[in-house]
Amino acid sequence: ITVRRGPANTVSVHGTIRASDSWTGGASAQEKVKRLEADPPIEQTGNIIRIGNIQDEKLRHNVSISYELVVPEDTRLQTHSGSGNQSVEDVKGPVEAHTGSGSIRMRDVGSGVRASTGSGGIELDNIQGSVRAHTGSGSIRADRIGGGLVANTGSGNITYRQTGAGGVEVETGSGDVTVEDVKGSLRAGAGSGRIEAAGQPSGSWELHTGSGGVTVHLPSQAAFDLYA
């Protein structure tokens, strides 16, 4: 699924259909493609557009569709894919993106973001609101985030740079954690890996790793108690 900004008051949908014949019989791959082309799975109710709801169960077998969407800037977006990459850029949002397996990339979103994948990396850049990100296996990179962050991965590195205030909670089962310009509280954990944290604490910082070093950078005027 690919989404990018286009003209106001216009939504453009381009679908690429892939189909294969089923060993159990039924409609051929070519017939499925023709039927989907003749009656695309697109529904509109007012300003709400739903894409990809194939009512005929037989048409869903051995069929995958990739979508390229061009939408107005002032768009709220929810995406879901059983398997596949997702890319979203230059919309106001908020945005919720989910995929069972695949990477998620977003940039230039004007409000909050939620992103989750069962397996794959997550890359976020210039998000104006808070972020929640989860991957079962893969790295998470969040740069220029205007709010707080809650992020976790079963295996992979987490890197984060904050531009606005907000609490930060990050955790990885195996991998390194690097957070910069934190403007608030911080909780960071790594089952195995190093942690490096820098910023201006306005709440408590709790950093824990099962195996690895911990490095903290604070302003010279910071006052704190340290328990290590």
Side-chain angles (χ1 to χ4, degrees):
I1 300 173
T2 302
V3 183
R4 59 183 175 85
R5 188 181 74 173
N9 303 317
T10 300
V11 174
S12 172
V13 181
H14 180 269
T16 302
I17 307 168
R18 295 175 177 85
S20 59
D21 292 321
S22 173
W23 64 272
T24 58
S28 67
Q30 187 175 10
E31 183 180 349
K32 291 177 182 179
V33 171
K34 287 182 178 180
R35 290 175 60 183
L36 288 168
E37 287 178 336
D39 185 18
I42 302 174
E43 308 168 17
Q44 181 173 358
T45 305
N47 286 332
I48 299 174
I49 298 175
R50 293 182 173 87
I51 301 168
N53 182 22
I54 302 175
Q55 298 288 347
D56 189 341
E57 184 177 353
K58 295 179 181 179
L59 285 179
R60 296 200 297 265
H61 289 296
N62 293 17
V63 171
S64 66
I65 306 177
S66 296
Y67 292 102
E68 297 180 15
L69 311 179
V70 180
V71 301
E73 179 183 12
D74 191 16
T75 293
R76 301 167 62 95
L77 184 67
Q78 294 182 348
T79 65
H80 175 81
S81 174
S83 176
N85 300 329
Q86 297 194 19
S87 174
V88 179
E89 62 180 63
D90 210 8
V91 296
K92 185 175 181 180
V95 177
E96 294 187 22
H98 309 277
T99 179
S101 175
S103 64
I104 296 176
R105 295 179 174 85
M106 297 189 203
R107 68 180 180 90
D108 301 332
V109 177
S111 53
V113 160
R114 290 174 178 259
S116 68
T117 173
S119 175
I122 297 176
E123 296 185 11
L124 309 171
D125 183 26
N126 192 27
I127 310 299
Q128 298 302 311
S130 60
V131 167
R132 299 182 71 93
H134 166 78
T135 175
S137 175
S139 296
I140 298 174
R141 184 182 67 83
D143 190 27
R144 298 189 296 168
I145 307 301
L149 172 73
V150 177
N152 60 82
T153 174
S155 175
N157 299 330
I158 298 177
T159 58
Y160 173 68
R161 183 165 65 98
Q162 192 172 28
T163 57
V168 178
E169 298 183 24
V170 294
E171 183 175 7
T172 175
S174 175
D176 298 333
V177 174
T178 304
V179 292
E180 301 179 41
D181 297 333
V182 176
K183 301 173 178 64
S185 61
L186 171 63
R187 295 182 62 184
S192 174
R194 66 175 178 82
I195 296 177
E196 185 167 355
Q200 302 177 7
S202 60
S204 64
W205 282 23
E206 300 178 18
L207 314 177
H208 173 80
T209 175
S211 174
V214 176
T215 304
V216 179
H217 303 274
L218 298 174
S220 58
Q221 70 273 20
F224 54 89
D225 296 324
L226 173 65
Y227 301 91

